[in-house]
Amino acid sequence: MKNVLFTIIIVALLFSCKTKQEKKDPSQRNGERPTSSQIISEMDEDNDERLSMDEVKGRIANDFDAIDSNNDGYLTLEELDKAGKNQQGRPPRESDTNKDLSNEIDTSVKVVPVNTDYFIKENIIDGIQEQRIVLNGVETLCYVIKTHSQATEHQMGPWCPRHIDDGMEKAGIWFKDDKVYDVSGHFIANLDEFYSDDQWKLYREDGTVKYTDTEEACLAAAKPDVDEEYHNYCVECLPEYFKEQVTTFVIPATPKYLKTVQNFGNGGIGMAFNGVNYDPPAPTHAILAAHTIAPLDDHGGHVNPHGGYHYHAVTGSTKEVAQKDSHSPILGYAIDGFGIYALKDDNGNTPADLDECGGHFDDIRGYHYHAGEPGGNQIIKCLHGLPGYTEVKE
């Protein structure tokens, strides 16, 4: 009898653990996609009918910033419904390479081929290769470009100040509500006021800043589930930790404009001419939930273990190719082969007709994108072309 009772208890515990695990990420279950109500019901641990960053995981956690349309730190039923119904408002996620996009190609739209002369050749491993690759059901001539994603035309860093008396020249930048802030020692010392949260304190009693000063500390802190030991830290990973990583970019040689918007994957959304990866928005809610910040340097870049050095913002530090007219210079290419240009033209004007991805047309450049403001945490918002992809090997 005791053995039977013991077995029943063990089975109940296992079932309970399994149920809890499934409850944490309903978006991963097989079959029909869960409704917004089901997602909230299964993940809402405090029963307040909304989801905080601490309550979500998986795809919902990755998509949190884009779904949270009012930026209040919570996901409501209305926000989840809107994200589910509006593909253009959905956040980046892995491209579905099995999806056939051949019928979505609009051949009437003018496109301009990728110009490989723009890339800094010294930063490319074994030269630019050409391969015919099937992308979403479309056989496409692609450029295959391998780099170490290390900038050469500017210094990478600095990121975290060392003392609360340090000036802005000793650290990088951070962003909030579309604005950019210098991460000086004064900024670090006043994060509790900046975020209206007295739990913030990234410095010791002697004024020294707590920052990740080893590769091991970087690995423990530069991830969504920050090790508790590194809560209330300034996260700084150095490029030399991952300098042997190889990032492979597969980009259509001649882009193909699609009638429908495509969300980009968890990998890079494009590349600068120096071979550095343009990344999707930084997961700020995951970072801030642990009372950490991961500053960008003044060039819009920082380092993580799975992508090395990469950009989340365009600040004018990288190679640019000027245009013959007053149009803004080109900075790099999106992963679909369309050019990414600076936001403002030579006269300081911003395009007024950008679409939901940050792109538009003109007679010279065809369809192309303009990079967003540095404080917006989005270089471009989505793709209007047949997407290539990136791969990172450590």
Side-chain angles (χ1 to χ4, degrees):
M1 185 65 181
K2 288 183 178 179
N3 289 338
V4 173
L5 181 60
F6 179 76
T7 302
I8 292 173
I9 292 172
I10 293 297
V11 171
L13 287 172
L14 289 173
F15 180 80
S16 175
C17 291
K18 182 180 180 183
T19 302
K20 184 175 182 181
Q21 183 178 14
E22 290 176 347
K23 176 181 178 180
K24 291 294 287 182
D25 190 10
S27 65
Q28 295 296 321
R29 63 189 182 187
N30 295 326
E32 293 185 1
R33 180 180 175 182
T35 66
S36 300
S37 297
Q38 288 172 329
I39 291 173
I40 289 182
S41 175
E42 296 183 26
M43 303 179 82
D44 181 18
E45 296 178 355
D46 60 5
N47 297 313
D48 64 351
E49 299 184 354
R50 58 183 185 172
L51 301 178
S52 69
M53 187 64 192
D54 291 336
E55 293 174 311
V56 298
K57 66 176 295 185
R59 288 184 175 180
I60 304 297
N62 293 337
D63 299 350
F64 198 102
D65 284 346
I67 301 173
D68 182 20
S69 57
N70 63 358
N71 298 311
D72 67 347
Y74 295 95
L75 304 185
T76 63
L77 179 64
E78 291 75 16
E79 288 172 324
L80 288 167
D81 279 341
K82 182 179 179 181
K85 293 176 182 177
N86 183 5
Q87 287 290 329
Q88 297 170 1
R90 291 180 65 183
R93 63 179 47 179
E94 293 185 14
S95 299
D96 182 2
T97 55
N98 295 320
K99 183 179 180 182
D100 187 351
L101 297 176
S102 56
N103 293 327
E104 297 294 334
I105 297 172
D106 188 343
T107 57
S108 67
V109 174
K110 177 179 179 178
V111 298
V112 176
V114 170
N115 190 333
T116 58
D117 291 337
Y118 292 163
F119 294 106
I120 299 175
K121 298 298 191 294
E122 295 78 9
N123 294 8
I124 295 172
I125 302 169
D126 298 329
I128 298 175
Q129 308 297 320
E130 293 186 11
Q131 292 184 28
R132 298 200 72 86
I133 298 173
V134 176
L135 301 175
N136 294 101
V138 182
E139 185 175 299
T140 307
L141 178 64
C142 295
Y143 291 124
V144 180
I145 305 172
K146 296 183 178 182
T147 80
H148 289 299
S149 199
Q150 303 269 308
T152 54
E153 69 271 55
H154 65 74
Q155 175 187 352
M156 294 177 284
W159 290 280
C160 298
R162 301 304 189 245
H163 194 279
I164 58 174
D165 291 335
D166 286 346
M168 62 184 184
E169 74 281 356
K170 293 188 177 181
I173 58 176
W174 190 237
F175 45 86
K176 178 187 175 189
D177 300 332
D178 296 330
K179 296 181 180 179
V180 174
Y181 299 86
D182 291 304
V183 183
S184 62
H186 177 78
F187 179 85
I188 292 289
N190 289 277
L191 278 170
D192 55 344
E193 296 181 11
F194 186 74
Y195 283 113
S196 301
D197 180 354
D198 60 10
Q199 297 299 309
W200 283 92
K201 190 177 181 183
L202 272 64
Y203 62 95
R204 304 177 183 88
E205 295 304 321
D206 63 358
T208 56
V209 173
K210 294 184 289 183
Y211 72 99
T212 52
D213 58 355
T214 65
E215 183 175 348
E216 291 71 24
C218 156
L219 293 171
K223 57 182 184 177
D225 53 336
V226 178
D227 283 5
E228 189 171 351
E229 178 183 357
Y230 293 102
H231 286 207
N232 255 306
Y233 261 70
C234 187
V235 181
E236 175 178 291
C237 297
L238 300 182
E240 50 262 38
Y241 296 161
F242 313 106
K243 64 182 179 180
E244 299 304 321
Q245 281 185 350
V246 175
T247 301
T248 301
F249 300 87
V250 176
I251 301 175
T254 300
K256 295 177 172 61
Y257 183 84
L258 300 179
K259 303 170 188 174
T260 56
V261 167
Q262 304 298 308
N263 295 307
F264 34 75
N266 292 330
I269 63 173
M271 65 181 296
F273 294 137
N274 59 11
V276 172
N277 188 25
Y278 287 137
D279 235 37
T284 54
H285 278 90
I287 296 168
L288 299 175
H291 293 94
T292 62
I293 62 169
L296 309 179
D297 59 22
D298 288 341
H299 318 290
H302 66 184
V303 179
N304 70 32
H306 304 295
Y309 184 74
H310 57 277
Y311 298 119
H312 287 293
V314 168
T315 64
S317 299
T318 61
K319 177 183 177 179
E320 300 178 345
V321 178
Q323 304 298 287
K324 294 180 180 180
D325 54 8
S326 62
H327 191 276
S328 55
I330 186 171
L331 313 171
Y333 287 101
I335 203 65
D336 60 6
F338 287 119
I340 299 177
Y341 292 75
L343 182 58
K344 296 181 180 180
D345 64 19
D346 292 347
N347 300 316
N349 299 317
T350 300
D353 60 344
L354 297 180
D355 63 22
E356 63 273 35
C357 294
H360 68 167
F361 303 86
D362 70 31
D363 293 336
I364 298 174
R365 286 151 287 268
Y367 185 79
H368 59 279
Y369 303 107
H370 286 267
E373 292 281 4
N377 192 24
Q378 281 192 320
I379 295 174
I380 59 175
K381 298 177 181 178
C382 50
L383 299 171
H384 238 308
L386 182 70
Y389 57 90
T390 63
E391 295 179 343
V392 178
K393 290 187 177 181
E394 302 178 9

